[in-house]
Amino acid sequence: MSSLGGLSGCRSSSMMLVAIAASLLLAVLASAEPPHPAVAVPAHGPDAWQEDLEAGDECAETADRDCALNALQLQSSKETRRAVVGAGANASVGKMDLRAMGPPATAMAYKGMAWPDMSVTESAHVFAIGDWGGMDGSLERSNGKKLYNIFHMDPGPHPYPRPRWDKDHKTLLCNSGDFRNCFKGLHCPAGCQFVNDVDTKPQQLVAEAFKARAALYKPQYVLNVGDNFYWGGIETKCGSDMQKIHPTTKHQFDQVFETIYDGSDLSDKPWFSVLGNHDWGGRLYANGWDQQIAYTWASKRWVMPSVYWSQHVKYPDQNFSMDYFMIDSNVHDAKPPIKDMGHNICSWYNKQEDDCSVTGGPRSPLECAGWFEALWKEQTVWLEEKLANSEADWKVIVTHFPCGHMAEFYTGLHTKYGLDLLVTGHRHDQELWPAERLGGLTCFVTGGGGGVTSEASPTDTSEWYGKEQYGGIEVGTQYGFFDLTVSKSQILIESINYEGKVVGKAVVLPSSMATTTTTAAGERSMDLNSTKPEVLSRPNSTEPEVLSRQNSTEPEVRMVNSIYYPEPEIDQE
């Protein structure tokens, strides 16, 4: 009896150990990344969803807003289901698929997370554009008023008539009122440097050049640096249901994005996007910036899963990869409420009761600047960690505020972690900075998308510093976009103007090798072994800056200009 009792006790102990081990295994599995939520795949197959979507899209032509919005949700469902079907039974293995997970509960829920990896086996072209979203003439804001300074009430985008200053940004050449008169065919001061049929429709002109070049070179994705909707972003309040698309959101996306950057070569190409200061509201933080995030799941190509996030792109046929870090730099326009009220996200144009905390944003005007400061600090920690752990051949940051902002920070990322390229906007022109201006880090500004009038005349930049940057080219350095041709050994950057012409080039080598070679279109690349100096004038100085040239007894004269030209305060209307 005692022996049997001992054996029974051993068996009980063994069974208890097995149960404990099973519990521990379950606990380990539970601590892993959660699997994707189950998504029911329709029995009639994924292809039938296209028919359903087309049927739903017919509603968009009617006055039934609910039906039109349902079409967007159907489209989102179709894309999610296809993603899951394409991934097969093992879709839940590995990284969390934000696309399949669906919209977050709040706009900040996916901060710092990675969008699913992209694999490119076709063209190695990438387009970059910013500050492109004009003001729609047919949009009525919630208060019943039209958009700021709009001069036509026709549907579709119209540029905000921004004042023009001199190169040093000390003398106002043309204010917004003068510019509006130019647009209306009234007295137009010479200082406005107004060019009819260019300044009046720059977004459309750039978009046509964009589409024409896309037809030739087949870009596989677009880098979008923000200011997607002037003047104040999506014209609804923050805090809308992230699972739904507000009617105003659909209206603005339809009028300013979907019908402008269309065509077979762009219709399914993702736009990796960040917010600009005008997307937050310009002088507000309580507009519908969170709806731009929600639209990610109602679009086949708009990608902005949070205010900062990352994207890994693989080029398996060429054996290289790229890591893109999409960050929010709008802390530069987030100030105490009383300061610079015409151009301050946190200004007293917000109401004290404006509260975006329900979706993770600022709680009040008094807390707004601190909120943005905390967001920026959070991103700097995230960036350093991600860059340190990145094994990609190329590391690229995409953000809104232009070259020259936080120069020491970005230069440090280049030096310490091998950041290769900084892609920016905000300033309303096209700038291609030589790498030595940021300690070896190449940076460009693509703020000439046409949502707002350019810094200087689009046809005469003789009084603007863009002229020196392009070796004397006087046409097309204001409105345009960039075309990047990427490979394992280099990135070729080409500046494309609103006429589709290449007006500037640069070659970026990996950060472990040489720096950028910058030329104007049609000119030779800089020969580092040449004995002849390259001379470019230095802005704001009669004296050139002389830097020693490799393997040469002659000096190299290069332009250095880290001046930031802030946007002027808008008319208070």
Side-chain angles (χ1 to χ4, degrees), residues 287-400:
N287 273 10
W289 51 270
D290 50 342
Q291 277 286 286
Q292 291 198 44
I293 294 171
Y295 194 74
T296 299
W297 288 268
S299 170
K300 291 187 291 185
R301 51 185 177 149
W302 186 262
V303 183
M304 187 195 292
S306 191
V307 293
Y308 70 93
W309 58 284
S310 65
Q311 176 71 58
H312 184 70
V313 181
K314 298 176 286 188
Y315 291 81
D317 292 350
Q318 299 185 57
N319 191 32
F320 77 95
S321 64
M322 305 185 73
D323 274 341
Y324 292 101
F325 304 99
M326 319 293 292
I327 65 171
D328 189 296
S329 52
N330 293 293
V331 64
H332 297 293
D333 258 12
K335 309 156 192 173
I338 197 64
K339 289 188 176 181
D340 190 16
M341 286 183 57
H343 215 273
N344 175 6
I345 296 172
C346 302
S347 78
W348 280 124
Y349 281 100
N350 296 282
K351 298 177 181 179
Q352 179 61 39
E353 61 269 23
D354 284 342
D355 185 353
C356 294
S357 63
V358 66
T359 197
R363 187 181 302 275
S364 72
L366 291 174
E367 297 181 30
C368 175
W371 185 92
F372 276 96
E373 288 173 8
L375 177 67
W376 175 251
K377 290 178 181 177
E378 180 181 312
Q379 291 177 94
T380 61
V381 174
W382 175 81
L383 269 175
E384 294 209 43
E385 178 185 347
K386 291 296 183 182
L387 285 166
N389 293 324
S390 173
E391 297 180 355
D393 297 273
W394 295 101
K395 304 175 185 67
V396 181
I397 287 178
V398 178
T399 194
H400 183 63

Side-chain angles (χ1 to χ4, degrees), residues 466-473 519-520 523 536:
K467 177 182 177 180
E468 290 91 347
Q469 288 176 297
Y470 292 105
I473 299 294
T519 70
E523 296 184 355
L536 293 175

Side-chain angles (χ1 to χ4, degrees), residues 105-287:
T106 69
M108 298 294 166
Y110 293 163
K111 283 189 302 183
M113 298 181 71
W115 195 248
D117 292 358
M118 181 178 184
S119 184
V120 175
T121 56
E122 299 179 33
S123 166
H125 282 259
V126 180
F127 285 3
I129 191 170
D131 299 75
W132 47 266
M135 303 181 296
D136 174 45
S138 62
L139 175 66
E140 287 194 4
R141 299 157 72 198
S142 57
N143 59 9
K145 296 181 179 179
K146 292 292 181 178
L147 295 174
Y148 308 103
N149 279 331
I150 199 159
F151 54 92
H152 282 306
M153 301 307 164
D154 303 327
H158 303 281
Y160 170 72
R162 180 187 184 277
R164 281 181 173 156
W165 295 71
D166 67 343
K167 181 169 61 177
D168 296 327
H169 211 273
K170 293 179 179 178
T171 303
L172 181 64
L173 304 176
C174 177
N175 63 38
S176 289
D178 290 335
F179 229 142
R180 285 198 301 275
N181 287 337
C182 298
F183 279 72
K184 294 174 181 178
L186 304 176
H187 172 68
C188 183
C192 293
Q193 302 174 312
F194 173 73
V195 181
N196 195 23
D197 292 330
V198 177
D199 283 322
T200 54
K201 53 181 181 182
Q203 183 181 351
Q204 290 88 336
L205 292 173
V206 172
E208 289 304 314
F210 197 86
K211 290 188 284 187
R213 193 168 180 88
L216 293 174
Y217 296 105
K218 315 296 182 186
Q220 295 303 296
Y221 53 93
V222 177
L223 306 177
N224 171 27
V225 302
D227 276 3
N228 311 314
F229 299 96
Y230 280 93
W231 197 89
I234 299 297
E235 291 287 344
T236 187
K237 285 288 187 180
C238 61
S240 295
D241 188 344
M242 293 292 290
Q243 308 296 317
K244 298 178 180 179
I245 302 303
H246 193 280
T248 299
T249 307
K250 174 174 170 52
H251 179 95
Q252 288 186 253
F253 267 97
D254 282 351
Q255 294 294 325
V256 179
F257 176 67
E258 299 290 1
T259 59
I260 303 299
Y261 306 98
D262 55 359
S264 59
D265 299 299
L266 292 173
S267 61
D268 61 347
K269 301 303 185 292
W271 283 52
F272 302 147
S273 304
V274 296
L275 295 170
N277 57 302
H278 288 276
D279 296 311
W280 282 95
R283 56 187 182 187
L284 303 172
Y285 63 79
N287 273 10

Side-chain angles (χ1 to χ4, degrees), residues 475-519:
V475 177
T477 59
Q478 296 293 300
Y479 298 123
F481 63 98
F482 281 90
D483 181 0
L484 285 62
T485 307
V486 298
S487 68
K488 188 177 181 67
S489 61
Q490 68 175 38
I491 299 176
L492 170 64
I493 303 174
E494 295 176 284
S495 179
I496 315 299
N497 74 358
Y498 65 92
E499 296 176 311
K501 298 176 182 177
V502 179
V503 295
K505 295 183 180 181
V507 173
V508 184
L509 302 178
S511 58
S512 59
M513 299 174 64
T515 56
T516 308
T517 300
T518 307
T519 70

